[in-house]
Amino acid sequence: AVVSTQSTGDVQQIVGLRDSLVKILCDYKLQINLSEGCKKVFVNDTVSLSRKMRGLGKRGVHIDDEINCQICKCMVINERDPTDATVYFCGHAFHNACLSKDYCISCFK
């Protein structure tokens, strides 16, 4: 923005300075209000997702004896060769020896 000045004796006035400062302050107040609103939404979403995750953690996951590992395709539950397995809430199961990540790789491809 171009600011023009007018000289009146020893005092120099900037034309439109007051209006420009008022606009800057209004824009700043709007930005602060938007930031506070976003923070409230973020906190509410975090609380909601936390409650949802706690609810999922209390819920059991059913697997049958014919479920296969998503990686090696062998049965996860095998009486002849018992191994440790991980079953996620989505229902996907893996042998721990096959699994290299801390999340369900079938859901997050």
Side-chain angles (χ1 to χ4, degrees):
V2 176
V3 178
S4 63
T5 60
Q6 296 176 347
S7 183
T8 55
D10 292 343
V11 178
Q12 193 174 32
Q13 294 181 343
I14 300 175
V15 178
L17 177 63
R18 182 184 180 282
D19 294 337
S20 295
L21 290 174
V22 168
K23 182 177 179 344
I24 289 170
L25 290 173
C26 287
D27 289 348
Y28 177 75
K29 184 177 179 179
L30 175 65
Q31 192 172 15
I32 294 298
N33 287 338
L34 285 172
S35 178
E36 289 172 354
C38 288
K39 183 179 178 182
K40 287 178 184 178
V41 169
F42 177 75
V43 168
N44 287 337
D45 285 351
T46 302
V47 169
S48 175
L49 287 173
S50 175
R51 287 181 182 150
K52 186 176 180 180
M53 288 300 294
R54 272 186 279 151
L56 286 173
K58 293 177 183 176
R59 191 179 86 202
V61 176
H62 171 75
I63 61 169
D64 57 34
D65 58 352
E66 295 180 10
I67 193 167
N68 293 333
C69 174
Q70 296 291 309
I71 297 173
C72 71
K73 305 300 181 196
C74 295
M75 290 177 40
V76 172
I77 301 172
N78 186 346
E79 292 178 12
R80 285 183 251 154
D81 184 24
T83 58
D84 291 335
T86 298
V87 180
Y88 291 97
F89 290 110
C90 58
H92 293 125
F94 303 89
H95 294 113
N96 287 348
C98 297
L99 195 59
S100 62
K101 304 287 184 194
D102 290 336
Y103 54 86
C104 178
I105 60 174
S106 293
C107 290
F108 292 102
K109 284 185 179 179

